[in-house]
Amino acid sequence: MQANDVRVLKSAALPTLAVGVVAVVVALLLSGGKGALGAAVGTLLVGVFFSISVVAVSYASRISPQMMAIAAMGSYLVKVVVIMLMLATFGDTTAWNSRAFAWSVVVCTIVWTAFEVRAFIKTKMLYVDPDAKVPGHGDS
C-alpha cells in the first residue's frame, strides 16, 4: 500500500472505531448485552468491509486505473452480496439485538464514508506526471 492509502485508511478507521465503541456502550445501556454484541458485530462488519475495499483498490491502482475501477466496483458488489447473505442468515437470530446491529452499521458506514472523503480531499496528489515524456518533443 502507498503512504497516501495508509493515511486514508487510518483517517477513516480510527473515527469509525471510536463511534463503534460509543455505539456499543449506548446499545449496552439501552438493550443490555445482546445490544452491545449487535453493535459490536455491526461495527466490526463495517470496519472489515471498508478496510478490504481500501486495500483492494490500493493494490489495483498500482496496475492501472481500469483495474482500480474494477476493484472498486467488485469490492462493492461483494460487500452488497455478503451483507445480504448475512442479513438473510442472521435475520431471525436471538444472539444479538438486530436493531443495535443495524443502527451501528448505518452510523459507522456514514462516519467511515465521511472521514474517507475528508482524507481524500486533504491528500496532496499530483494530477499530472511531471516526469512524463511527450511523444515528438525531443529530449530537451
Side-chain angles (χ1 to χ4, degrees), residues 53-74:
S53 292
V54 170
V55 171
V57 170
S58 172
Y59 283 116
S61 71
R62 291 181 181 180
I63 299 168
S64 72
Q66 293 83 5
M67 285 303 296
M68 186 174 77
I70 290 169
M73 289 185 291

Side-chain angles (χ1 to χ4, degrees), residues 126-133:
L126 296 174
Y127 292 98
V128 294
D129 184 4
D131 299 326
K133 303 285 188 235

Side-chain angles (χ1 to χ4, degrees), residues 45 49 78-89 101 105:
L45 182 74
F49 275 19
V78 168
K79 283 190 282 193
V80 169
V81 169
V82 171
I83 193 76
M84 287 172 52
L85 289 172
M86 192 164 174
L87 290 174
T89 304
F101 170 78
V105 167

Side-chain angles (χ1 to χ4, degrees), residues 132-134 136-140:
K133 303 285 188 235
V134 178
H137 284 108
D139 292 318
S140 53

